[in-house]
């Protein structure tokens, strides 16, 4: 009897194991449910904005977008902290599609750049070099219409500024459906999903949870600037992601081709070549030069005008005078600094970063890939900090590799990120320098001092905040 009683009092290992399994399963289901609710909230805000009048959309956009930023940060923390498996990846991809589909049929609300894309495509479809004339030129009078032409910015004096790879995409859109705003946005979204697929391949290669692709796929900045406003940066992001895939496989020449194609969409991705470059290996630079030469060749009939408005853009945008540097304006709130001095210091800082990436010890395998991706994020972040463009779509350059370079999420740093976001909201309500605006750089400094690696949430936060501050 004693043996029998004693036997009943012994722990039941299999029961404890079963309880732990059930507990983990419940926690897993709960996290998946939370992820689904967060995706639904992002989509709900899109639909709320779409169902309102134009006046409401304009007045409440800042707050709706800010709400999405907070939701996105929470979702990022969830997929970084927990491996939620393939079901989570399905949820991520489902809402990535729905978020974009909800905006595709709508006309751009925050930018008119898409109408220049459509015009360039129309001009090429009629056999005319897009770098030859500005839209108001008499030679193009027969192509004008009240829908596209009247919405083109700088139409009276500026030839196109978009390089050849972008021009080929514009031509493709014109051949599929002339003047189709939804068509060209659909093409851009297709390039976005090429980027997402490439990021998933990279995540799988380094053994990370593929649901981390949410960091790009659910980004409000990406959804608004591509699916809603229709910016060509989507094409550049796809080529940048494909360059990383090629670099991961050791395909040096193909890496060069992809970086060159990204550069021929928007010029600034050229700087990322420094992160992928391998010392004394000329294959990547040679491939870049050859790609640029081949794509520019069909447009060389206009001679030096083949660069279009690119030669005038820096001056008009205040990049020469320094008037358009957001960071310099904030510095001026504290003490005067000549624009020329700022430009020299910023250039020296950026050149130092490029030199470091070119001459550093590289490594091999997954370690090399992660160094390259961190290098890309470093260059993008530094460039955007120093140049601080006033247009939100430039900050998309930060997003592609954050899915891989995120390391961990600390509660204290998330609180700091929220506090910093609140300081930007305060600035939106009442522009002007006050001590609370020192919080973001202070928290970033503390974060980097504790963990001397790039911390993703600061990059996402700063990208969103800069975008919002100019809306």
């Amino acid at each position: 009897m004693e043996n029998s009683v004693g036997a009943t009092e012994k722990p039941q290992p299999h029961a404890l194991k079963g309880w732990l399994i059930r507990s983990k399963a419940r926690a897993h289901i709960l996290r998946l449910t939370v992820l689904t609710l967060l995706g639904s909230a992002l989509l709900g805000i899109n639909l709320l904005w779409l169902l309102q009048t134009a006046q409401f959309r304009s007045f409440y956009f800042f707050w709706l977008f800010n709400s999405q930023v907070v939701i996105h940060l929470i979702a990022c923390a969830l997929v970084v902290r927990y491996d939620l498996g393939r079901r989570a990846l399905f949820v991520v991809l489902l809402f990535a599609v729905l978020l974009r589909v909800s905006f595709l049929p709508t006309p751009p609300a925050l930018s008119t750049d898409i109408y220049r894309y459509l015009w360039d495509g129309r001009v090429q479809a009629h056999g005319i070099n897009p770098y030859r004339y500005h839209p108001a030129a008499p030679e193009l009078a027969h192509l004008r219409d009240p829908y596209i032409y009247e919405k083109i910015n700088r139409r009276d004096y500026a030839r196109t500024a978009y390089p050849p790879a972008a021009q080929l995409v514009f031509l493709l859109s014109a051949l599929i459906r002339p003047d189709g705003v939804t068509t060209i946005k659909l093409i851009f979204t297709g390039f976005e999903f090429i980027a997402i697929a490439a990021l998933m391949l990279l995540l799988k290669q380094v053994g990370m949870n593929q649901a981390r692709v949410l960091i790009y796929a659910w980004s409000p900045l990406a959804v608004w600037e591509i699916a809603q406003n229709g910016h060509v940066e989507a094409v550049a992001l796809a080529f940048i992601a494909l360059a990383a895939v090629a670099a991961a496989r050791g395909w040096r020449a193909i890496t060069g081709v992809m970086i060159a194609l990204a550069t021929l969409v928007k010029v600034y991705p050229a700087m990322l070549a420094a992160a992928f470059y391998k010392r004394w290996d000329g294959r990547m630079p040679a491939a870049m030069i050859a790609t640029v030469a081949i794509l520019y060749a069909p447009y060389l009939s206009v001679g030096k005008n083949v660069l279009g408005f690119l030669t005038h853009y820096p001056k008009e945008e205040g990049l020469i005078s320094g008037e358009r540097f957001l960071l310099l304006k904030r510095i001026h709130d504290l003490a005067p600094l000549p624009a020329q001095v700022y430009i020299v210091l910023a250039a020296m800082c950026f050149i130092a970063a490029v030199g470091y990436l070119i001459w550093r010890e590289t490594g091999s395998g997954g370690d090399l890939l992660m160094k390259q991706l961190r290098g890309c994020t470093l260059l993008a972040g530094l460039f955007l900090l120093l140049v601080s463009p006033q247009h939100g779509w430039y900050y998309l350059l930060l997003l592609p590799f954050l899915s891989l370079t995120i390391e961990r999420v600390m509660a204290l740093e998330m609180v700091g990120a929220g506090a910093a976001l609140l300081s930007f909201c305060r600035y939106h309500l009442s522009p002007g320098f006050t001590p609370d605006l020192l919080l973001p750089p202070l928290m970033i400094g503390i974060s980097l001092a504790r963990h001397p690696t790039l911390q993703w949430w600061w990059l996402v936060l700063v990208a969103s905040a800069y975008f919002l501050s100019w809306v």
Side-chain angles (χ1 to χ4, degrees), residues 7 15 45 127 167 184 207 224 260 262 271 280 316 321 368 375 392 417 433 447 460:
I45 290 173
Q167 294 295 338
I184 197 167
W224 280 92
M271 63 184 169
W280 316 122
E316 180 170 304
S321 64
L368 172 60
F433 182 81
S447 176
V460 175

mmCIF file of all heavy atoms in Angstrom, residues 7 15 45 127 167 184 207 224 260 262 271 280 316 321 368 375 392 417 433 447 460:
data_model
loop_
_atom_site.group_PDB
_atom_site.id
_atom_site.type_symbol
_atom_site.label_atom_id
_atom_site.label_comp_id
_atom_site.label_asym_id
_atom_site.label_seq_id
_atom_site.Cartn_x
_atom_site.Cartn_y
_atom_site.Cartn_z
ATOM 1 N N ALA A 7 3.769 5.913 -5.159
ATOM 2 C CA ALA A 7 3.818 6.016 -6.615
ATOM 3 C C ALA A 7 2.908 7.122 -7.116
ATOM 4 O O ALA A 7 3.211 7.812 -8.070
ATOM 5 C CB ALA A 7 3.422 4.676 -7.240
ATOM 6 N N ALA A 15 3.314 14.346 -17.899
ATOM 7 C CA ALA A 15 2.242 15.326 -17.711
ATOM 8 C C ALA A 15 2.797 16.749 -17.728
ATOM 9 O O ALA A 15 2.205 17.660 -18.314
ATOM 10 C CB ALA A 15 1.512 15.051 -16.396
ATOM 11 N N ILE A 45 -6.764 51.449 -40.789
ATOM 12 C CA ILE A 45 -6.410 52.872 -40.897
ATOM 13 C C ILE A 45 -6.362 53.294 -42.368
ATOM 14 O O ILE A 45 -6.808 54.387 -42.723
ATOM 15 C CB ILE A 45 -5.069 53.136 -40.188
ATOM 16 C CG1 ILE A 45 -5.252 52.998 -38.672
ATOM 17 C CG2 ILE A 45 -4.534 54.529 -40.525
ATOM 18 C CD1 ILE A 45 -3.977 53.068 -37.877
ATOM 19 N N GLY A 127 8.492 57.520 -79.751
ATOM 20 C CA GLY A 127 9.798 57.498 -80.415
ATOM 21 C C GLY A 127 10.662 58.714 -80.170
ATOM 22 O O GLY A 127 11.587 58.980 -80.947
ATOM 23 N N GLN A 167 13.635 55.029 -66.940
ATOM 24 C CA GLN A 167 12.959 55.334 -68.200
ATOM 25 C C GLN A 167 12.414 54.081 -68.868
ATOM 26 O O GLN A 167 11.330 54.096 -69.467
ATOM 27 C CB GLN A 167 13.916 56.064 -69.142
ATOM 28 C CG GLN A 167 14.333 57.446 -68.685
ATOM 29 C CD GLN A 167 13.172 58.422 -68.628
ATOM 30 O OE1 GLN A 167 12.143 58.233 -69.274
ATOM 31 N NE2 GLN A 167 13.332 59.476 -67.839
ATOM 32 N N ILE A 184 1.094 51.806 -63.564
ATOM 33 C CA ILE A 184 2.483 52.024 -63.182
ATOM 34 C C ILE A 184 2.682 51.755 -61.688
ATOM 35 O O ILE A 184 3.723 51.235 -61.269
ATOM 36 C CB ILE A 184 2.963 53.429 -63.580
ATOM 37 C CG1 ILE A 184 4.498 53.485 -63.559
ATOM 38 C CG2 ILE A 184 2.367 54.506 -62.699
ATOM 39 C CD1 ILE A 184 5.075 54.714 -64.214
ATOM 40 N N GLY A 207 19.540 31.835 -41.649
ATOM 41 C CA GLY A 207 18.858 31.094 -40.591
ATOM 42 C C GLY A 207 17.949 31.924 -39.715
ATOM 43 O O GLY A 207 17.706 31.567 -38.557
ATOM 44 N N TRP A 224 2.731 53.857 -48.136
ATOM 45 C CA TRP A 224 2.251 55.164 -48.586
ATOM 46 C C TRP A 224 3.039 55.688 -49.779
ATOM 47 O O TRP A 224 2.456 56.200 -50.735
ATOM 48 C CB TRP A 224 2.326 56.172 -47.434
ATOM 49 C CG TRP A 224 1.194 56.063 -46.481
ATOM 50 C CD1 TRP A 224 1.149 55.313 -45.339
ATOM 51 C CD2 TRP A 224 -0.090 56.686 -46.573
ATOM 52 N NE1 TRP A 224 -0.070 55.438 -44.715
ATOM 53 C CE2 TRP A 224 -0.850 56.283 -45.451
ATOM 54 C CE3 TRP A 224 -0.665 57.555 -47.490
ATOM 55 C CZ2 TRP A 224 -2.157 56.712 -45.238
ATOM 56 C CZ3 TRP A 224 -1.963 57.994 -47.270
ATOM 57 C CH2 TRP A 224 -2.702 57.571 -46.164
ATOM 58 N N ALA A 260 24.324 48.869 -60.284
ATOM 59 C CA ALA A 260 24.265 49.843 -61.379
ATOM 60 C C ALA A 260 22.819 50.099 -61.798
ATOM 61 O O ALA A 260 22.430 51.254 -62.047
ATOM 62 C CB ALA A 260 25.074 49.343 -62.565
ATOM 63 N N ALA A 262 20.138 49.820 -59.916
ATOM 64 C CA ALA A 262 19.525 50.636 -58.866
ATOM 65 C C ALA A 262 19.944 52.095 -59.009
ATOM 66 O O ALA A 262 19.131 53.012 -58.849
ATOM 67 C CB ALA A 262 19.917 50.107 -57.488
ATOM 68 N N MET A 271 26.142 54.652 -53.779
ATOM 69 C CA MET A 271 27.021 54.631 -52.603
ATOM 70 C C MET A 271 27.070 53.253 -51.950
ATOM 71 O O MET A 271 28.045 52.912 -51.276
ATOM 72 C CB MET A 271 26.552 55.662 -51.581
ATOM 73 C CG MET A 271 25.172 55.395 -51.020
ATOM 74 S SD MET A 271 24.659 56.705 -49.907
ATOM 75 C CE MET A 271 22.920 56.296 -49.690
ATOM 76 N N TRP A 280 40.609 44.845 -54.329
ATOM 77 C CA TRP A 280 41.419 44.325 -55.424
ATOM 78 C C TRP A 280 40.655 43.390 -56.346
ATOM 79 O O TRP A 280 41.243 42.692 -57.158
ATOM 80 C CB TRP A 280 42.668 43.591 -54.885
ATOM 81 C CG TRP A 280 43.359 44.317 -53.780
ATOM 82 C CD1 TRP A 280 43.601 43.845 -52.520
ATOM 83 C CD2 TRP A 280 43.893 45.640 -53.805
ATOM 84 N NE1 TRP A 280 44.233 44.774 -51.753
ATOM 85 C CE2 TRP A 280 44.432 45.900 -52.519
ATOM 86 C CE3 TRP A 280 43.950 46.652 -54.768
ATOM 87 C CZ2 TRP A 280 45.025 47.111 -52.192
ATOM 88 C CZ3 TRP A 280 44.537 47.859 -54.426
ATOM 89 C CH2 TRP A 280 45.068 48.070 -53.159
ATOM 90 N N GLU A 316 18.731 73.672 -57.389
ATOM 91 C CA GLU A 316 17.346 74.076 -57.176
ATOM 92 C C GLU A 316 16.809 73.573 -55.838
ATOM 93 O O GLU A 316 16.022 74.255 -55.181
ATOM 94 C CB GLU A 316 16.457 73.560 -58.314
ATOM 95 C CG GLU A 316 15.006 73.969 -58.131
ATOM 96 C CD GLU A 316 14.159 73.680 -59.355
ATOM 97 O OE1 GLU A 316 14.512 74.160 -60.449
ATOM 98 O OE2 GLU A 316 13.136 72.995 -59.212
ATOM 99 N N SER A 321 23.461 75.307 -51.586
ATOM 100 C CA SER A 321 23.432 76.402 -50.604
ATOM 101 C C SER A 321 23.241 75.896 -49.183
ATOM 102 O O SER A 321 23.517 76.608 -48.217
ATOM 103 C CB SER A 321 22.293 77.366 -50.943
ATOM 104 O OG SER A 321 21.042 76.711 -50.816
ATOM 105 N N LEU A 368 30.342 37.532 -43.658
ATOM 106 C CA LEU A 368 30.602 38.555 -44.676
ATOM 107 C C LEU A 368 29.307 39.212 -45.122
ATOM 108 O O LEU A 368 29.223 40.437 -45.251
ATOM 109 C CB LEU A 368 31.322 37.933 -45.871
ATOM 110 C CG LEU A 368 31.493 38.835 -47.104
ATOM 111 C CD1 LEU A 368 32.300 40.073 -46.743
ATOM 112 C CD2 LEU A 368 32.148 38.060 -48.241
ATOM 113 N N GLY A 375 26.804 47.377 -43.492
ATOM 114 C CA GLY A 375 27.470 48.477 -44.177
ATOM 115 C C GLY A 375 26.498 49.283 -45.024
ATOM 116 O O GLY A 375 26.543 50.519 -45.044
ATOM 117 N N GLY A 392 9.813 62.365 -48.178
ATOM 118 C CA GLY A 392 9.771 61.117 -47.434
ATOM 119 C C GLY A 392 10.283 59.911 -48.176
ATOM 120 O O GLY A 392 10.855 58.998 -47.580
ATOM 121 N N ALA A 417 12.060 55.006 -27.813
ATOM 122 C CA ALA A 417 11.602 55.269 -29.179
ATOM 123 C C ALA A 417 10.233 55.946 -29.173
ATOM 124 O O ALA A 417 9.979 56.889 -29.916
ATOM 125 C CB ALA A 417 11.544 53.965 -29.971
ATOM 126 N N PHE A 433 12.190 75.068 -31.860
ATOM 127 C CA PHE A 433 13.107 74.244 -31.082
ATOM 128 C C PHE A 433 12.805 74.364 -29.591
ATOM 129 O O PHE A 433 12.732 75.458 -29.042
ATOM 130 C CB PHE A 433 14.554 74.652 -31.339
ATOM 131 C CG PHE A 433 15.538 73.804 -30.586
ATOM 132 C CD1 PHE A 433 15.908 72.567 -31.080
ATOM 133 C CD2 PHE A 433 16.068 74.223 -29.374
ATOM 134 C CE1 PHE A 433 16.799 71.773 -30.398
ATOM 135 C CE2 PHE A 433 16.955 73.441 -28.677
ATOM 136 C CZ PHE A 433 17.327 72.207 -29.191
ATOM 137 N N SER A 447 21.724 54.345 -26.694
ATOM 138 C CA SER A 447 21.548 53.020 -27.300
ATOM 139 C C SER A 447 22.831 52.537 -27.961
ATOM 140 O O SER A 447 23.260 51.400 -27.766
ATOM 141 C CB SER A 447 20.417 53.069 -28.331
ATOM 142 O OG SER A 447 20.294 51.842 -28.997
ATOM 143 N N VAL A 460 14.120 53.286 -38.154
ATOM 144 C CA VAL A 460 12.714 53.343 -38.557
ATOM 145 C C VAL A 460 12.060 54.604 -38.006
ATOM 146 O O VAL A 460 11.333 55.320 -38.702
ATOM 147 C CB VAL A 460 11.964 52.085 -38.065
ATOM 148 C CG1 VAL A 460 10.471 52.203 -38.374
ATOM 149 C CG2 VAL A 460 12.538 50.832 -38.693
#
